[in-house]
Amino acid sequence: MLFLLTRVNTLSLVHQQVPCMPTKRPTQADVARAAGVSRATVSYVVNGLANSQVSISRTTYQRVQAAITELEYHPDARAQSLRSGGATNTIGLLLPDMHNPFYWKIASGVEQEAQNAGFDLLLFSTSLNAEREEHTLRALARRQIDGLILNLTFPGRISEALKLLARRHNPVVILGKPVPNLDAVEVKPGYQEHAHEIMAHLFALGHRRIGFIYGLVNQEIDAGRLNAYREALQMFGLPMDETLVDRCGATLADGYRAAHRLLACKPRPTALISLNDLLAIGALRAIHEQGFTVPRDLSIVGFDNIDMAAYLHPPLTTVHYDANAVGHEAVKLILARLKEPERPVQVIQIPTHLMLRASTGPVLES
Amino acid sequence: MLFLLTRVNTLSLVHQQVPCMPTKRPTQADVARAAGVSRATVSYVVNGLANSQVSISRTTYQRVQAAITELEYHPDARAQSLRSGGATNTIGLLLPDMHNPFYWKIASGVEQEAQNAGFDLLLFSTSLNAEREEHTLRALARRQIDGLILNLTFPGRISEALKLLARRHNPVVILGKPVPNLDAVEVKPGYQEHAHEIMAHLFALGHRRIGFIYGLVNQEIDAGRLNAYREALQMFGLPMDETLVDRCGATLADGYRAAHRLLACKPRPTALISLNDLLAIGALRAIHEQGFTVPRDLSIVGFDNIDMAAYLHPPLTTVHYDANAVGHEAVKLILARLKEPERPVQVIQIPTHLMLRASTGPVLES
DNA sequence: TTGAAAGCGTTACCAG
DNA sequence: CTGGTAACGCTTTCAA
């Protein structure tokens, strides 16, 4: 056995070479020839039309089947869908970021529901890159997919996606802010109300200085969320202190650093609101490192209720949002439109609610 | 605006219907007609053969381009790959479980590397369902994908996947235990050594009663891992107490329940080894709930070093394994074999190492 | 009950 | 420089 070092970090073992037979993929014609029938007959057998439309003699049927298994024939999906002018049994999913558990859950929901309906999933992540998003949309246009589920980072492109695909009479579902004439599953609807609810909760616990971990994949886009909190602050007569808003990225590390910065503010905020749970997890680490105890010294609130939220120490107060359901509903919308193309546009909201857990508590009198 | 309640949990708004034009997708012929050229010419322009093989007059080129943008023509990928007899620019990824962050990191790595190489990702999760795994493999056989990355749950099927796809001269990469004649990225290689290393670490800290959270997606399959610990125990002269092995599922909740059960053992174990970080997170919650402090009262070790591991309270001692790199390397193997089909079979190992963090500490003298 | 033949939208070869 | 034309692998109508 020969050892070979391929790359700095990677040890690779090269086994003895086995010459693969360059076996050509068998075609319908090969099967027909092997079975001594015509190609049409093979098609009938494969598609199970044997019993309904056309009838095939028992013996021919078996001969064909035998040839199929013998040759390991599998029909070419490209040719099938090309010829029969339609379904590719594929739906596309475009997500902004694969690092946040929130999006995995959406993807997972989509995958499950799609599988159940017999569709395969083509997954793209734009990674916050506008060019890539555009490129992906273009790729999606050539590819014949039966439906597309979009969670765009750059809403400006929505019109393009719409043009490219919806016009082709292809079901498109938007995840996020609904767009005219397209089915949608609203992502995090009622953000406003929950911002208010969270604020009310913290206010009631005595919090007056509240920090924001405003970590977004793209700062420009979701400015609306901050406004929700601005308004909520106002309703409780609290001033908006911009130094308490930390604008950062959307990773664990961003949450960690943001919390460090916010904790350095004087006077120290007594509560932190984090745009999502992932950031909150990062923040929790920073808080613990500085020797603070949650919620005694500091309260923290997340958003999304990712699976881990309930398992953190302390369990995280957050807004529950069923990301899995988003995926399921999105696929259902696709299926519904596939079945009935002219149905009215539908927007689905997944209910959300505040989950009070142990990460929020009263302000310590001192 | 009309409100309609679609399902128990779901509020849906039905907007006014907008009659979509049933615009037929424009074909190459449509473009040719619009530009007043032949279909071949359109093909040349689209594929940029204009400069190399054939040359197209400036004016014709522009006329064609104009028609293309005018009609929003996008070549049909099915027809293209069918005719040019090959590349579909798609690679398939088959994963056992979409709920574990570990697999997501693999998927994320695959997605990135594939995108960079211009490939789209077809994602499947078998969800531990043997039928589904088989079904998926069959679907994959009809679909013409350029490469397949497999992390099988049921190794028995490997031979089938191999037959169906590798024989078609299609690059297949195995994630996990290498299989003869197939490229592979070993998943968690050196499990044995790390089991030993972990045990040595705990032993040195004075731990003698060590519990196992043996939470697997499929119990039968990975029995080998437990043996690694059995052997390690033996090497340190510790008896294997089967009551300290909790066989459970692979979710957060499984880890949580397992820890509760293990903590009820008398005498209580002083350390827990968890098959992965996810289970460890679940366990941590149980430990905290029972009022224990980690690592003072109890040590815990995970495996995988998922992103959150370093952010937990306390940060988790675990074995670092770069799941992202698994994805990247797997795609690189596909690409290499695509370029050079007869290259020797290669097995890649991603280096791992024990990450000592604060979740393990000495046994409290009492 | 089976087969011939006409495409589906594309590419690539060979004439003009 | 450009335009026929034959495939690619399949489905489906129409005849036999």
Side-chain angles (χ1 to χ4, degrees):
Chain A
M1 194 148 345
L2 177 69
F3 283 77
L4 190 77
L5 205 59
T6 330
R7 58 186 56 244
V8 189
N9 272 332
T10 304
L11 183 67
S12 25
L13 307 164
V14 177
H15 293 221
Q16 61 180 6
Q17 176 177 344
V18 174
C20 287
M21 286 287 178
T23 318
K24 265 300 264 185
R25 183 193 177 98
T27 113
Q28 197 184 52
D30 294 331
V31 177
R33 206 174 309 120
V37 297
S38 84
R39 291 175 34 239
T41 311
V42 177
S43 179
Y44 297 145
V45 171
V46 167
N47 297 12
L49 299 184
N51 302 326
S52 51
Q53 317 240 345
V54 216
S55 47
I56 303 259
S57 77
R58 187 121 192 83
T59 57
T60 337
Y61 184 85
Q62 288 175 336
R63 270 220 314 283
V64 173
Q65 281 293 12
I68 286 174
T69 51
E70 161 71 21
L71 296 177
E72 286 177 326
Y73 167 71
H74 290 267
D76 184 325
R78 319 202 282 317
Q80 280 181 308
S81 82
L82 183 57
R83 174 61 238 235
S84 45
T88 51
N89 283 326
T90 310
I91 72 172
L93 174 61
L94 185 64
L95 250 26
D97 174 21
M98 307 223 349
H99 296 293
N100 192 328
F102 179 74
Y103 291 114
W104 313 338
K105 277 208 102 169
I106 294 183
S108 171
V110 168
E111 205 270 345
Q112 281 171 45
E113 191 75 28
Q115 282 268 356
N116 287 342
F119 287 83
D120 294 342
L121 176 64
L122 215 38
L123 180 68
F124 300 88
S125 114
T126 52
S127 316
L128 328 175
N129 181 334
E131 288 170 41
R132 172 158 287 179
E133 190 164 292
E134 176 141 4
H135 176 79
T136 303
L137 254 21
R138 209 180 302 281
L140 244 18
R142 338 182 172 284
R143 218 174 246 289
Q144 289 288 56
I145 56 175
D146 297 334
L148 177 59
I149 300 172
L150 284 179
N151 190 327
L152 293 179
T153 316
F154 305 93
R157 317 281 178 190
I158 284 182
S159 59
E160 185 149 356
L162 195 153
K163 268 189 211 150
L164 291 178
L165 297 143
R167 171 181 303 189
R168 307 258 188 267
H169 218 66
N170 237 329
V172 174
V173 171
I174 294 290
L175 262 34
K177 281 256 160 295
V179 155
N181 305 341
L182 284 185
D183 294 319
V185 179
E186 277 197 71
V187 168
K188 302 182 190 174
Y191 202 88
Q192 212 95 353
E193 297 89 272
H194 288 302
H196 187 271
E197 204 178 349
I198 288 171
M199 202 63 80
H201 172 60
L202 291 177
F203 192 87
L205 291 170
H207 295 279
R208 295 300 177 266
R209 273 182 76 72
I210 298 170
F212 293 92
I213 299 177
Y214 196 63
L216 280 173
V217 288
N218 189 310
Q219 292 290 345
E220 300 125 47
I221 290 168
D222 250 325
R225 302 224 189 138
L226 196 50
N227 289 333
Y229 285 109
R230 276 212 183 87
E231 285 167 23
L233 275 171
Q234 217 165 6
M235 293 190 74
F236 290 98
L238 297 177
M240 180 72 177
D241 182 346
E242 286 293 341
T243 63
L244 289 184
V245 177
D246 196 285
R247 292 156 200 274
C248 57
T251 67
L252 282 164
D254 286 308
Y256 173 80
R257 288 186 296 253
H260 265 306
R261 282 189 295 260
L262 287 169
L263 291 177
C265 290
K266 312 265 180 207
R268 180 168 65 67
T270 61
L272 297 183
I273 293 177
S274 152
L275 218 65
N276 64 46
D277 290 352
L278 200 66
L279 292 161
I281 294 175
L284 272 173
R285 174 98 302 269
I287 293 166
H288 287 136
E289 271 183 16
Q290 302 219 357
F292 296 116
T293 299
V294 177
R296 202 195 56 192
D297 304 314
L298 199 78
S299 288
I300 180 161
V301 184
F303 208 107
D304 291 352
N305 194 25
I306 62 175
D307 292 339
M308 273 145 243
Y311 290 85
L312 298 176
H313 184 70
L316 190 65
T317 290
T318 187
V319 176
H320 175 74
Y321 186 62
D322 190 347
N324 227 303
V326 174
H328 281 281
E329 294 302 325
V331 174
K332 282 184 192 156
L333 283 178
I334 297 272
L335 297 177
R337 186 157 302 284
L338 238 26
K339 192 178 290 174
E340 189 193 343
E342 300 299 337
R343 72 197 291 272
V345 168
Q346 191 178 3
V347 174
I348 290 194
Q349 294 183 316
I350 311 291
T352 59
H353 58 269
L354 188 57
M355 297 279 302
L356 295 183
R357 296 209 186 94
S359 74
T360 45
V363 172
L364 196 64
E365 305 295 336
S366 58
Chain B
M1 191 134 9
L2 177 68
F3 283 77
L4 190 76
L5 205 60
T6 329
R7 57 185 59 242
V8 188
N9 272 330
T10 302
L11 182 67
S12 26
L13 306 164
V14 176
H15 292 221
Q16 61 181 4
Q17 175 175 344
V18 174
C20 284
M21 286 288 175
T23 318
K24 264 299 266 184
R25 182 195 178 97
T27 118
Q28 200 183 50
D30 295 330
V31 176
R33 205 174 310 116
V37 296
S38 84
R39 288 169 42 238
T41 311
V42 176
S43 178
Y44 297 144
V45 171
V46 167
N47 297 11
L49 299 183
N51 301 325
S52 51
Q53 317 239 346
V54 214
S55 48
I56 302 261
S57 77
R58 186 117 193 83
T59 57
T60 330
Y61 184 86
Q62 288 175 337
R63 268 219 316 283
V64 174
Q65 281 295 12
I68 286 175
T69 52
E70 161 70 22
L71 296 177
E72 287 177 326
Y73 165 71
H74 290 268
D76 184 324
R78 322 203 284 310
Q80 280 181 307
S81 83
L82 181 58
R83 174 58 241 231
S84 45
T88 52
N89 284 325
T90 310
I91 71 173
L93 174 61
L94 184 64
L95 253 24
D97 174 23
M98 308 227 342
H99 296 293
N100 191 327
F102 179 74
Y103 290 115
W104 265 101
K105 278 207 101 169
I106 294 183
S108 171
V110 167
E111 205 270 346
Q112 280 171 46
E113 191 75 29
Q115 281 270 355
N116 287 341
F119 287 82
D120 294 342
L121 177 64
L122 216 39
L123 180 68
F124 300 87
S125 113
T126 52
S127 317
L128 328 175
N129 182 333
E131 287 170 42
R132 172 159 287 181
E133 190 164 292
E134 175 142 2
H135 176 78
T136 303
L137 254 20
R138 209 180 303 282
L140 246 15
R142 342 180 170 284
R143 219 174 243 289
Q144 290 288 55
I145 55 174
D146 297 334
L148 177 59
I149 300 171
L150 283 180
N151 190 328
L152 293 179
T153 315
F154 305 93
R157 316 284 179 189
I158 284 183
S159 61
E160 185 149 356
L162 196 153
K163 268 191 212 146
L164 291 179
L165 296 143
R167 170 181 303 187
R168 306 255 188 268
H169 218 65
N170 237 328
V172 174
V173 171
I174 294 290
L175 263 32
K177 281 254 160 297
V179 155
N181 305 340
L182 283 185
D183 295 318
V185 179
E186 278 196 70
V187 168
K188 302 182 189 174
Y191 202 87
Q192 212 95 352
E193 296 91 88
H194 288 303
H196 187 271
E197 205 178 349
I198 288 170
M199 202 62 81
H201 172 60
L202 292 178
F203 192 86
L205 291 169
H207 296 278
R208 295 298 178 266
R209 274 183 74 75
I210 297 170
F212 294 92
I213 300 177
Y214 197 64
L216 280 174
V217 288
N218 188 309
Q219 293 289 345
E220 302 124 47
I221 290 169
D222 249 325
R225 301 222 189 139
L226 195 52
N227 289 333
Y229 285 110
R230 277 211 181 87
E231 286 168 22
L233 276 171
Q234 216 165 7
M235 293 190 74
F236 290 98
L238 297 177
M240 181 71 176
D241 182 347
E242 286 293 341
T243 63
L244 290 184
V245 177
D246 196 284
R247 293 155 200 275
C248 57
T251 67
L252 282 164
D254 286 308
Y256 172 81
R257 288 186 295 252
H260 266 307
R261 283 188 295 257
L262 287 169
L263 291 177
C265 290
K266 313 261 177 203
R268 182 169 63 68
T270 62
L272 296 182
I273 292 177
S274 152
L275 219 65
N276 64 45
D277 291 352
L278 201 66
L279 292 162
I281 294 175
L284 272 173
R285 174 98 301 270
I287 294 167
H288 287 136
E289 271 182 17
Q290 301 220 357
F292 296 116
T293 299
V294 177
R296 202 194 57 192
D297 305 315
L298 198 79
S299 288
I300 180 161
V301 183
F303 209 107
D304 291 352
N305 193 26
I306 63 176
D307 292 339
M308 272 145 243
Y311 289 85
L312 297 176
H313 185 71
L316 191 64
T317 290
T318 187
V319 175
H320 174 74
Y321 186 62
D322 190 347
N324 228 302
V326 174
H328 282 281
E329 294 302 324
V331 174
K332 282 182 192 159
L333 282 178
I334 298 272
L335 297 178
R337 186 157 303 284
L338 238 24
K339 192 179 287 176
E340 189 192 345
E342 299 300 336
R343 70 196 293 271
V345 169
Q346 191 178 3
V347 174
I348 289 193
Q349 294 184 316
I350 310 291
T352 58
H353 58 270
L354 188 57
M355 297 279 303
L356 295 183
R357 296 208 186 96
S359 74
T360 46
V363 172
L364 197 65
E365 305 297 336
S366 57

